[in-house]
């Protein structure tokens, strides 16, 4: 993208893992252990795991497996991930990006639960947005649009007036299904055709317009 790329929104909806926080090391450790326990190839598991809630990832990888087992494993993995913050750091530019959003309508929309999102944002030294849509807030995981739609509703903004920031295919699909434009963050996002793509958040500048809209300068 070039420095002249601009998007206008009335609210921003932000994914966490891969978008604000680099938690890849923790995700890899936990999910590769799960893959070993279930006789699956770790590389294939990692192609699916990003962006979804754990039980939804398991449903894709082990079709026909009882939902109760997936939910039980999901709870175990959430606890493991919450305890494992080694190597969890902020995406470059994330702190300044969040600081620029103070006083502007924005929300966190993450597949993590409250405990995990609190642990990872804390480990990365990032402030949690006031409005947060977590795993406990929804009945369906990304790529279902429920989380993004709830985030927009909480902010009182029409989905078409929102811009989502996402790193994964599941997240981008969820935001698009909600009727939102998407800024893709990092290498996982680009193949999924976001409206704009950045290497990290140092390539995004936020400007508050006089009419209350948010101007995004991308590139």
């Amino acid at each position: 993208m070039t420095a002249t790329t601009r998007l206008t929104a009335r609210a921003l909806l932000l994914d966490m893992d891969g978008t604000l926080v680099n938690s890849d090391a923790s995700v890899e450790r936990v999910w590769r252990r799960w893959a070993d326990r279930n006789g699956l190839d770790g590389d294939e598991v990692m192609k699916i795991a990003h962006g979804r809630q754990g039980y939804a990832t398991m449903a894709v990888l082990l079709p026909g497996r009882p939902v109760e087992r997936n939910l039980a494993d999901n709870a175990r993995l959430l606890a493991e991930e919450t305890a494992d913050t080694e190597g969890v750091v902020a995406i470059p530019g994330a702190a300044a990006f969040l600081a620029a959003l103070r006083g502007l309508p924005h929300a966190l929309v993450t597949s993590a639960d409250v405990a995990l999102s609190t642990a990872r944002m804390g480990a990365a030294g990032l402030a949690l947005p006031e409005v947060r849509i977590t795993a406990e807030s929804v009945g369906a995981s990304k790529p279902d649009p429920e989380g993004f739609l709830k985030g927009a509703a909480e902010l009182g903004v029409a989905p078409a007036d929102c811009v989502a920031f996402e790193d994964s295919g599941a997240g981008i699909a969820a935001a698009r299904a909600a009727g939102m434009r998407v800024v893709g963050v990092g290498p996982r996002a680009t193949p999924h055709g976001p409206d704009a793509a950045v290497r990290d958040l140092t390539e995004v500048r936020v400007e508050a317009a006089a009419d209350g809209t948010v101007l995004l300068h991308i590139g």
Side-chain angles (χ1 to χ4, degrees):
M1 307 306 297
T2 70
T4 58
T5 301
R6 295 205 319 171
L7 294 175
T8 302
R10 293 200 171 274
L12 305 184
L13 299 179
L14 317 173
D15 175 52
M16 182 182 71
D17 293 301
T19 301
L20 298 173
V21 171
N22 182 346
S23 56
D24 283 1
S26 174
V27 173
E28 289 261 348
R29 286 190 291 268
V30 170
W31 276 97
R32 286 185 182 277
R33 287 197 299 268
W34 180 86
D36 288 343
R37 290 195 297 267
N38 288 277
L40 298 174
D41 181 84
D43 291 340
E44 294 304 311
V45 169
M46 294 316 303
K47 291 177 184 177
I48 303 296
H50 294 288
R52 294 175 171 84
Q53 290 191 45
Y55 73 86
T57 296
M58 296 167 195
V60 172
L61 292 164
L62 296 170
R65 191 182 196 226
V67 173
E68 293 76 15
R69 285 194 61 190
N70 291 343
L71 291 174
D73 270 9
N74 185 55
R76 176 179 177 178
L77 263 62
L78 282 170
E80 290 179 14
E81 288 182 300
T82 301
D84 181 1
T85 56
E86 182 180 353
V88 174
V89 296
I91 294 291
F97 177 68
L98 288 171
L101 292 180
R102 288 186 194 128
L104 299 174
H106 67 287
L108 188 73
V109 180
T110 176
S111 293
D113 63 4
V114 169
L116 181 55
S117 57
T118 301
R120 284 187 175 162
M121 291 288 280
L126 299 175
L128 280 161
E130 183 177 339
V131 178
R132 300 184 288 275
I133 306 299
T134 62
E136 295 93 338
S137 308
V138 298
S141 169
K142 298 174 184 176
D144 190 281
E146 182 184 2
F148 283 113
L149 292 172
K150 284 198 169 182
E154 285 280 336
L155 296 171
V157 177
D161 291 328
C162 296
V163 169
F165 282 72
E166 267 286 0
D167 75 300
S168 71
I172 290 171
R176 287 210 180 282
M180 298 174 184
R181 291 155 294 155
V182 187
V183 175
V185 180
R188 282 192 293 267
T190 306
H192 302 285
D195 296 277
V198 296
R199 180 186 58 223
D200 57 45
L201 294 170
T202 64
E203 297 181 351
V204 181
R205 183 167 64 85
V206 177
E207 179 185 353
D211 64 355
T213 58
V214 181
L215 301 179
L216 298 171
H217 302 265
I218 299 167

